[in-house]
């Protein structure tokens, strides 16, 4: 059983690719900060590993705008200060299997 996070109720991931490693241990939309409303797209709470899917990379989405980029840095730095490891992927990397292969290597200590 994974430890409880400050979020209270947690949801099981619905959008992780089927081939994602150790899929049953990942959760989606988990609030990780005790004061802010920030959430991870996906996380493995027991290992404090988070995955963020960064959309709009090629079309000037929120994550690539100046203000959006700065807000993401604030979120990721706060998560790191709380002991989280954050990995960022594009939607294409998530769908193609590139992200799951990378994360499998991380979980096996090869990353």
């Amino acid at each position: 059983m994974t430890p409880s996070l400050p979020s209270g109720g947690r949801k099981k991931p619905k959008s992780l690719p089927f081939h994602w490693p150790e899929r049953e241990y990942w959760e989606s939309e988990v609030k990780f900060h005790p004061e802010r409303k920030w959430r991870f797209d996906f996380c493995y709470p027991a290992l404090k590993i988070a995955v963020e899917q960064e959309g709009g990379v090629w079309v000037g989405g929120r994550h690539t705008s100046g203000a959006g980029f700065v807000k993401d840095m604030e979120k990721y730095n706060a998560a790191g200060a709380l002991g989280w490891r954050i990995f960022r992927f594009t939607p294409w990397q998530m769908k193609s299997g590139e992200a799951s292969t990378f994360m499998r290597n991380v979980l096996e200590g090869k990353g």
Side-chain angles (χ1 to χ4, degrees), residues 85 87 102-111:
R85 295 171 61 195
F87 297 92
F102 183 88
M103 292 308 300
R104 180 170 283 109
N105 287 332
V106 167
L107 293 172
E108 292 174 357
K110 301 175 190 172

Side-chain angles (χ1 to χ4, degrees), residues 4 6 8 30-32 47 51-53 55 60-61 65 75 81 99 102 106-107:
S4 181
V30 173
K31 181 178 178 287
F32 68 90
L47 299 180
V51 167
E52 290 285 285
Q53 182 172 300
S65 72
K75 173 183 173 179
F102 183 88
V106 167
L107 293 172

